[in-house]
Short mmCIF file of all heavy atoms in Angstrom, two decimals:
data_model
loop_
_atom_site.label_atom_id
_atom_site.label_comp_id
_atom_site.label_asym_id
_atom_site.label_seq_id
_atom_site.Cartn_x
_atom_site.Cartn_y
_atom_site.Cartn_z
N SER A 1277 23.23 1.14 -5.23
CA SER A 1277 22.22 0.09 -5.52
C SER A 1277 22.75 -1.29 -5.18
O SER A 1277 23.93 -1.46 -4.90
CB SER A 1277 21.80 0.16 -7.00
OG SER A 1277 22.91 -0.18 -7.78
N LEU A 1312 19.46 8.61 1.44
CA LEU A 1312 20.50 7.76 2.02
C LEU A 1312 20.29 7.78 3.54
O LEU A 1312 19.98 8.79 4.16
CB LEU A 1312 21.89 8.35 1.69
CG LEU A 1312 22.34 8.36 0.23
CD1 LEU A 1312 23.74 8.95 0.15
CD2 LEU A 1312 22.27 6.95 -0.34
N ARG A 1326 30.79 7.68 8.34
CA ARG A 1326 29.48 7.04 8.25
C ARG A 1326 29.44 6.16 7.01
O ARG A 1326 29.93 6.52 5.96
CB ARG A 1326 28.39 8.11 8.14
CG ARG A 1326 28.21 8.87 9.37
CD ARG A 1326 27.07 9.91 9.24
NE ARG A 1326 26.91 10.60 10.50
CZ ARG A 1326 27.47 11.81 10.76
NH1 ARG A 1326 28.23 12.39 9.87
NH2 ARG A 1326 27.28 12.36 11.93
N LEU A 1361 23.90 8.52 -17.36
CA LEU A 1361 24.26 7.32 -18.12
C LEU A 1361 25.57 7.52 -18.87
O LEU A 1361 26.46 6.67 -18.84
CB LEU A 1361 23.14 6.97 -19.05
CG LEU A 1361 23.25 5.68 -19.83
CD1 LEU A 1361 23.23 4.50 -18.91
CD2 LEU A 1361 22.09 5.56 -20.81
N PRO A 1437 -0.89 4.00 -40.52
CA PRO A 1437 -1.92 4.19 -39.46
C PRO A 1437 -1.29 4.60 -38.14
O PRO A 1437 -0.14 4.35 -37.87
CB PRO A 1437 -2.54 2.78 -39.34
CG PRO A 1437 -1.59 1.85 -40.00
CD PRO A 1437 -0.79 2.63 -40.95
#
Side-chain angles (χ1 to χ4, degrees):
S1277 65
L1312 294 180
R1326 291 182 178 95
L1361 186 63

